[in-house]
C-alpha cells in the first residue's frame, strides 16, 4: 500500500488547509473546511475529487466551506458527535475512542475538549499522522474557550503518548508567536532556541512551519514540558502539579503581549 499524499496550504489569513489523498482509490479528504474556494482551487490543480471532509470542531474558520464543498463534490462530512448540531452538512458523527476505516486505513478519533467542548483529533497511525487542529499547535496549544484548563491539559497530554515520529498537522500557522512566548518561560532550552531560529527563517521566506512531530514538540513545546525544572523555576511553582503548571502557562499565554 503506497502512502497517502498530504497537501498543505495556508488559507484565510493563518488557517491551514490540508488535503489527504489516496492514489490507489482516489479518495481525498479535506481536514476541516476553512475556505471552500481555496480548497477547490488546490483540488483542481491536482486533479483530485473531494470525497470526505473531516471536521475537528464547530468554529466558523473550520466548517465554513462545508456546504459549498458538499454541493460541489457530494463529499461525505464526518465530524464530532458532541457538536453535530453546529457542523453544517454533517453525515457521520464520531466520538473519542471510536475508529473508522478510510481509504483502507484505520482512523482513530481522540476526544480533545478544551478549545471547544467537542473538539476531536484524527489519527492515522499507519501514516504516522495526527490531525490536531486547534488542540495542539507547534510550540503551543489552543486557547481554552469552552472547556476547562484541566480538560485541555488532559487533551494535550494524551497526544503526547503517540509515537514520537508522528507528524502533527495543526489548524493554524501560529508557530512564530508561540516561539516568542515559549522563550519567555524556558529561555535556556537550547532545542527551543534552535527551533525558534529556524521558524523565524521559514516565516521570513513565507514557508510553513508545520507539520511538526511529537518528538520535536516534546523537546520544545512548553505545554508538553510541564516537568521542566526551568519552566517551574520561572513560574515560581516548583512543587505544583503538571496540570497546575499547564494552566498557568495557558493563562500567561492568553495575556502575552
Ligand atoms: Zn477553533
Amino acid at each position: 500500500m503506497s502512502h497517502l499524499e498530504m497537501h498543505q496550504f495556508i488559507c484565510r489569513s493563518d488557517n491551514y488547509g490540508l488535503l489527504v489523498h489516496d492514489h490507489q482509490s482516489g479518495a481525498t479528504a479535506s481536514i476541516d473546511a476553512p475556505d471552500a474556494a481555496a480548497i477547490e482551487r488546490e483540488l483542481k490543480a491536482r486533479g483530485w475529487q473531494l470525497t470526505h471532509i473531516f471536521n475537528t470542531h464547530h468554529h466558523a474558520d473550520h466548517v465554513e466551506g462545508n456546504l459549498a464543498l458538499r454541493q460541489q463534490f457530494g463529499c461525505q462530512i464526518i465530524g464530532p458527535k458532541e457538536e453535530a448540531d453546529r457542523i453544517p452538512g454533517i453525515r457521520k458523527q464520531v466520538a473519542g475512542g471510536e475508529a473508522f476505516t478510510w481509504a483502507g486505513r484505520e482512523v482513530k478519533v481522540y476526544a480533545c475538549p478544551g478549545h471547544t467542548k467537542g473538539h476531536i483529533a484524527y489519527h492515522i497511525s499507519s501514516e504516522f499522522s495526527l490531525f490536531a487542529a486547534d488542540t495542539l499547535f507547534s510550540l503551543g496549544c489552543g486557547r481554552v474557550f469552552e472547556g476547562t484548563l484541566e480538560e485541555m491539559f488532559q487533551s494535550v497530554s494524551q497526544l503526547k503518548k503517540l509515537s514520537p515520529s508522528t507528524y502533527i498537522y495543526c489548524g493554524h500557522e501560529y508557530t512564530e508567536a508561540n516561539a516568542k512566548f515559549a522563550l519567555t518561560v524556558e529561555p535556556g532550552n537550547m532545542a527551543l532556541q534552535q527551533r525558534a531560529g529556524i521558524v523565524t527563517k521559514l516565516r521570513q521566506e513565507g514557508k510553513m512551519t508545520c507539520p511538526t512531530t511529537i518528538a520535536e514538540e516534546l523537546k520544545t513545546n512548553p505545554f508538553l514540558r510541564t516537568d521542566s525544572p526551568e519552566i517551574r523555576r520561572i513560574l515560581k511553582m516548583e512543587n505544583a502539579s503538571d496540570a497546575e503548571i499547564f494552566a498557568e502557562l495557558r493563562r500567561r499565554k492568553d495575556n502575552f503581549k
Side-chain angles (χ1 to χ4, degrees), residues 2 15 39 51 53 58 63 84 91 119 143 162-163 178 191 215 228 234 249:
S2 62
N15 278 81
I39 291 165
T51 57
I53 296 173
H58 69 79
V63 303
R91 169 89 182 283
H119 193 300
R143 266 181 194 260
L162 296 174
S163 160
N178 287 342
S228 152
I234 284 178
L249 287 170

Side-chain angles (χ1 to χ4, degrees), residues 57 59 61-62 115 134:
H57 65 297
H59 283 161
D61 62 323
H62 293 257
H115 180 68
D134 293 359

Side-chain angles (χ1 to χ4, degrees), residues 38 52 59 74-75 87 90 107 116 131 139 149 170-171 175 180-181 208 231 241-242 256:
H52 296 81
H59 283 161
C75 54
I87 309 286
I90 190 168
V107 182
T116 65
F131 310 122
L139 303 182
L149 287 163
C170 309
T175 318
K180 285 193 184 115
F181 172 74
M208 298 177 279
I231 291 178
S241 70
D242 289 305
F256 184 64

Side-chain angles (χ1 to χ4, degrees), residues 32 128 212:
D32 283 322
F128 291 95
T212 177

